[in-house]
């Protein structure tokens, strides 16, 4: 249909009229072909978003449950036994199941929500709409990328319902714990399901990433040169490149780990003794797995952050009514971050016996990544400077992203120095750092994107009052939860322990942990309010009546309010200018489709 639309728009229109006269007919799309096995990039984006929201509720709920344990280690909660049976005997989470909760929380939020939910949603929805394409380069592969993600979700979810429980080796799944089924219940079938699920997930990411790259390079509309693309598209492009180059490395690690577990190989095992029994495995290296994992794991941080950075840049420019400051510098910094992301993975491994000279090189490269990050922050702040700012919920979340990126990024300078990191490694300081800079900040970018593009997705607005409550409680709550953890980490408090009350040195933090637990419950409740707002507004929200409700310049606002498959009726518009002509020559905004006037100053 998209081909027919682009070649003979009048044929499609006639066909539609003809089919309406006969009250439907066999040409009409069924519910299954339109909403389930859809090849329309917008529907696929919504599928990614809604699946991501469901996973976010599950992953967030896990964190609330183990925060209960951390905040009140000496109390029992009968409701836990009701939910989890023998995993929470007497209303207290058992040590082994606690580790499984932490593992699933990390896995779900890093991969299924902030990778698939963020990139899968906004790359799908925005790339064809903002570059002027009817759809993705391969709609079929695009549909498959969602269904591989869905399959990965089903396999991961099923591991919660087996007798031995889900994987429990931390979200990093380090061997030898993860390679030996006899090591613990969480290393049995649940671990195999985790590895198979991640393999399916990686196939999904590769199908999506290759599609995004080929669409951006080959399917831009007339006049849409690379330097006229919105920063969102550049961010999605670099994100897809990072994913295509780094995800296969984790795939190889996961498959080799499956071999070690089930086929008797020794890629990651050597000289292991379990309960007095010497295992025959020789010659493997558990450190090799860490290299494979973190070669994906560090680019993964930016696979999560870059789409949020791109969307925040766009939303700030639109709602400041000003051109983005330093467009080419923003592009250069995105490129530099993408390159450096591949050169810093061993800063996660300073305590593995890494050669100190090699460590010093990784320290230098890690601290270098602060330069492009600082350029981006400077450009966001100067975009805001003296702007005519509209504080929409999307804009507030965008500004919140910058705040979190600055404060979370500064603590990364501590961890990037190997000498300080040896003291802080595997303490609550690390938890605080990456939750603020990667977890919460990326969620803020995602929320900003949902509030801003919701009218384009569903033809309705989200409720603004609920949006403001959502922002302020989440913003204050995020800092109240994660900022105090830095102090716990500086005092040496380890992460992933379910009860620290037995340590005299950490007793002083008991009340602080209670406060963090209470705040995390409140923040989780507010996320449920956002979920209500989201689903309620799809059906009952205030209807969008204008094509371009935010007064933005980019191409997606030139489509109908509820665009069909093919996006534009008739010809795809031609592009004549960059996407940030705000407040120029006495005009509030000038869309990209408007030709440059004879007396107009060129960008």
């Amino acid at each position: 249909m998209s081909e027919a639309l682009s070649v003979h728009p009048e044929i499609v229109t006639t066909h539609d009229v003809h089919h309406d006269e006969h009250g439907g007919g066999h040409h009409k799309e069924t519910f299954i072909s339109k909403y389930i096995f859809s090849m329309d990039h917008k529907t696929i984006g919504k599928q990614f978003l809604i699946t991501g929201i469901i996973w976010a509720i599950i992953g967030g709920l896990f964190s609330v449950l183990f925060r209960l344990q951390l905040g009140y280690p000496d109390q029992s909660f009968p409701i836990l036994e009701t939910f989890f049976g023998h995993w929470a005997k007497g209303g207290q989470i058992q040590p082994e199941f606690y580790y499984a909760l932490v593992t699933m929380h990390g896995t779900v939020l890093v991969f299924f929500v902030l990778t698939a939910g963020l990139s899968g949603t906004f790359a799908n929805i925005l790339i064809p709409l903002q570059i002027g394409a009817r759809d993705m380069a391969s709609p079929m592969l695009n549909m498959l990328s969602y269904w591989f993600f869905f399959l990965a979700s089903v396999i991961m979810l099923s591991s919660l319902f087996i007798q031995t429980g889900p994987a429990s080796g931390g979200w990093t799944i380090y061997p030898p714990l993860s390679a030996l089924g006899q090591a613990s219940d969480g290393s049995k079938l649940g671990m195999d399901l985790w590895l198979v699920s991640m393999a399916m997930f990686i196939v999904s990411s590769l199908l999506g990433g290759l599609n995004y790259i080929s669409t951006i390079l080959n399917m831009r509309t007339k006049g849409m040169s690379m330097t006229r693309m919105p920063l969102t598209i550049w961010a999605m492009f670099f994100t897809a490149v990072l994913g295509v180059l780094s995800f296969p490395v984790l795939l190889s690690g996961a498959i080799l780990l499956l071999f070690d577990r089930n086929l008797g190989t020794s890629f990651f095992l050597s000289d292991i003794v379990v309960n007095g029994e010497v295992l025959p495995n020789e010659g493997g290296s558990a450190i090799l797995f860490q290299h494979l994992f973190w070669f994906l794991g560090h680019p993964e941080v930016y696979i999560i952050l870059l789409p949020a950075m791109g969307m925040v840049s766009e939303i700030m420019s639109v709602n400041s009514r000003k051109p983005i400051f330093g467009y080419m510098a923003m592009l250069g910094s995105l490129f530099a971050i993408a390159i450096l992301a591949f050169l810093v993975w061993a800063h996660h491994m300073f305590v593995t016996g890494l050669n100190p000279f090699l460590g010093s090189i990784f320290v230098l490269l890690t601290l270098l990544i602060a330069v492009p990050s600082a350029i981006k922050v400077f450009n966001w702040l100067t975009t805001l400077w003296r702007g005519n700012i509209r504080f929409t919920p999307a804009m507030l979340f965008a500004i919140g992203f910058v705040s979190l990126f600055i404060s979370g990024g500064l603590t990364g300078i501590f961890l990037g120095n190997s000498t300080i990191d040896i003291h802080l490694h595997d303490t609550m300081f690390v938890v605080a750092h990456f939750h603020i800079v990667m977890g919460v900040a990326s969620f803020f970018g995602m929320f900003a994107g949902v509030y801003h593009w919701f009218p384009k997705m569903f033809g309705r607005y989200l409720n603004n009052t609920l949006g403001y409550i959502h922002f302020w409680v989440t913003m204050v709550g995020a800092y109240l939860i994660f900022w105090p953890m830095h102090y716990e980490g500086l005092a040496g408090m380890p992460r992933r322990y379910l009860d620290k009350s037995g340590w005299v040195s950490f007793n002083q933090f008991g009340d602080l942990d209670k406060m963090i637990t209470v705040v995390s419950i409140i923040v989780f409740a507010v996320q449920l309010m956002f979920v209500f707002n989201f689903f309620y507004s799809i059906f009952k929200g205030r209807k969008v009546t204008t094509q371009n409700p935010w007064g933005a310049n980019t191409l997606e606002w030139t489509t109908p309010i509820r665009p069909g498959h093919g996006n534009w009726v008739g010809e795809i518009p031609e592009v004549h200018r960059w996407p940030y002509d705000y407040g120029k020559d006495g005009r509030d905004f000038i869309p990209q489709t408007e030709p440059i006037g004879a007396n107009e100053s060129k960008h």
Side-chain angles (χ1 to χ4, degrees):
M1 181 174 172
S2 59
E3 285 168 16
L5 201 57
S6 54
V7 182
H8 298 295
E10 71 287 350
I11 292 174
V12 174
T13 319
T14 323
H15 159 83
D16 283 348
V17 171
H18 173 76
H19 135 131
D20 281 344
E21 279 171 2
H22 293 79
H26 62 276
H27 293 297
K28 193 164 185 178
E29 283 187 297
T30 64
F31 178 85
I32 289 177
S33 68
K34 187 170 183 183
Y35 293 109
I36 299 179
F37 296 108
S38 174
M39 292 194 200
D40 182 355
H41 69 97
K42 298 181 292 300
T43 305
I44 294 168
K46 292 173 200 170
Q47 288 174 323
F48 270 107
L49 180 57
I50 289 167
T51 312
I53 286 173
I54 292 164
W55 269 120
I57 295 167
I58 296 169
L61 183 61
F62 289 158
S63 66
V64 168
L65 293 174
F66 64 69
R67 273 306 329 169
L68 274 179
Q69 174 64 43
L70 284 170
Y72 301 92
D74 50 346
Q75 290 186 30
S76 64
F77 298 91
I79 191 168
L80 292 178
E81 192 166 12
T82 311
F83 272 118
F84 299 123
H86 69 278
W87 289 332
K89 274 184 203 139
Q92 285 196 308
I93 292 172
Q94 298 302 295
E96 182 132 311
F97 187 58
Y98 174 83
Y99 205 27
L101 280 178
V102 172
T103 302
M104 296 304 285
H105 164 75
T107 304
V108 161
L109 289 175
V110 169
F111 294 115
F112 288 23
V113 181
L114 290 173
T115 303
L118 183 52
S119 288
T121 299
F122 290 103
N124 264 305
I125 288 168
L126 295 180
I127 288 173
L129 283 172
Q130 289 199 333
I131 65 168
R134 296 281 179 204
D135 206 312
M136 287 289 175
S138 171
M140 177 72 180
L141 286 185
N142 205 24
M143 177 185 79
L144 280 176
S145 80
Y146 172 73
W147 285 105
F148 270 108
F149 168 51
F150 186 79
L151 184 61
S153 296
V154 170
I155 295 170
M156 190 66 79
L157 195 61
S158 66
S159 73
L160 296 169
F161 298 97
I162 58 175
Q163 193 174 0
T164 49
S168 65
W171 76 281
T172 52
I173 308 293
Y174 284 169
L177 179 63
S178 59
L180 299 169
Q182 63 268 51
S184 73
D185 276 355
S187 297
K188 291 188 168 69
L189 177 60
M191 187 64 70
D192 285 321
L193 290 173
W194 191 96
L195 291 165
V196 171
S197 170
M198 284 308 299
M200 296 293 108
F201 175 80
I202 290 164
V203 171
S204 156
S205 295
L206 294 176
L207 288 173
L210 290 168
N211 228 340
Y212 307 152
I213 293 166
S214 45
T215 305
I216 291 168
L217 292 180
N218 299 317
M219 298 182 69
R220 302 188 307 280
T221 186
K222 188 177 179 187
M224 178 65 81
S225 63
M226 294 291 273
T227 51
R228 283 179 178 168
M229 293 196 312
L231 288 169
T232 25
I233 302 301
W234 274 109
M236 300 299 178
F237 176 72
F238 285 124
T239 302
V241 170
L242 284 175
V244 165
L245 293 177
S246 62
F247 264 118
V249 180
L250 180 62
L251 182 61
S252 65
I255 290 169
L256 296 181
L257 191 50
L258 277 169
F259 284 0
D260 274 11
R261 290 174 54 78
N262 300 299
L263 300 179
T265 57
S266 298
F267 291 106
F268 307 125
L269 293 171
S270 186
D271 309 316
I272 306 281
V273 181
V274 179
N275 294 332
E277 178 200 352
V278 180
L279 299 188
N281 305 82
E282 278 184 22
S285 166
I287 301 297
L288 169 61
F289 182 85
Q290 292 198 27
H291 280 292
L292 293 175
F293 183 89
W294 287 115
F295 193 81
L296 158 89
H298 202 83
E300 171 68 15
V301 171
Y302 293 100
I303 288 169
I304 287 170
L305 268 172
L306 288 181
M309 289 177 170
M311 293 192 294
V312 161
S313 305
E314 177 74 21
I315 291 163
M316 279 198 168
S317 184
V318 171
N319 289 296
S320 296
R321 312 314 290 158
K322 272 181 68 184
I324 194 81
F325 185 90
Y327 176 84
M328 292 309 287
M330 288 293 238
L331 276 193
S333 59
L334 280 172
F335 183 60
I337 286 171
I339 299 289
L340 286 167
F342 282 104
L343 305 176
V344 296
W345 80 89
H347 69 210
H348 297 271
M349 301 172 58
F350 288 143
V351 297
T352 58
L354 190 72
N355 180 310
F357 175 70
L358 197 55
S360 66
I361 291 171
F362 278 99
V363 169
L364 175 66
L365 290 166
T366 301
L367 296 181
L368 266 181
I369 214 161
V371 177
S373 301
I375 290 170
K376 299 196 84 56
V377 167
F378 174 79
N379 285 6
W380 285 323
L381 295 179
T382 33
T383 301
L384 290 173
W385 177 249
R386 300 183 74 175
N388 185 15
I389 299 174
R390 301 183 303 207
F391 289 107
T392 62
M395 184 60 161
L396 286 173
F397 275 107
I399 296 168
F401 170 89
V402 177
S403 164
L404 290 154
F405 186 68
I406 295 169
S407 54
L410 287 173
T411 56
I413 295 171
F414 290 63
L415 296 170
N417 283 288
S418 53
T419 39
I420 305 172
D421 180 71
I422 286 166
H423 169 66
L424 294 174
H425 186 81
D426 261 346
T427 66
M428 297 301 287
F429 192 95
V430 177
V431 175
H433 160 72
F434 79 76
H435 275 83
I436 286 181
V437 78
M438 181 181 95
V440 186
S442 301
F443 261 113
F444 270 51
M446 191 172 179
F447 288 139
V450 171
Y451 280 101
H452 188 73
W453 280 289
F454 192 88
K456 185 51 40 189
M457 289 189 240
F458 298 105
R460 294 177 186 267
Y461 295 101
L462 283 159
N463 182 295
N464 267 3
T465 307
L466 293 181
Y468 291 128
I469 296 168
H470 180 212
F471 168 75
W472 285 110
V473 176
T474 310
M475 183 73 181
V476 174
Y479 275 118
L480 284 176
I481 292 167
F482 296 113
W483 203 253
M485 290 184 191
H486 291 99
Y487 302 109
E488 295 180 340
L490 287 167
M493 184 188 279
R495 64 197 278 209
R496 292 182 179 160
Y497 280 53
L498 85 163
D499 184 359
K500 297 154 186 157
S501 58
W503 272 308
V504 177
S505 50
F506 301 139
N507 279 345
Q508 59 183 316
F509 294 119
D511 289 339
L512 193 59
D513 271 335
K514 281 189 180 62
M515 184 275 288
I516 292 172
T517 297
V518 170
V519 175
S520 64
I521 293 168
I522 294 167
V523 170
F524 181 68
V526 169
Q527 306 319 307
L528 294 179
M529 185 193 75
F530 163 75
V531 172
F532 166 77
N533 188 7
F534 180 87
F535 287 108
Y536 180 81
S537 298
I538 289 176
F539 303 105
K540 301 282 189 183
R542 187 164 52 92
K543 284 188 175 175
V544 177
T545 52
T546 55
Q547 226 176 354
N548 188 355
W550 309 125
N553 293 336
T554 41
L555 287 181
E556 75 268 32
W557 306 107
T558 62
T559 62
I561 292 171
R562 294 289 300 271
H565 193 178
N567 299 333
W568 285 270
V569 178
E571 293 294 313
I572 297 175
E574 187 180 334
V575 167
H576 298 279
R577 58 180 73 232
W578 77 320
Y580 299 109
D581 274 338
Y582 295 101
K584 182 183 182 188
D585 298 339
R587 293 179 61 186
D588 183 34
F589 70 102
I590 312 174
Q592 280 190 281
T593 51
E594 187 172 315
I596 293 175
N599 302 320
E600 191 178 336
S601 56
K602 288 188 181 174
H603 165 64

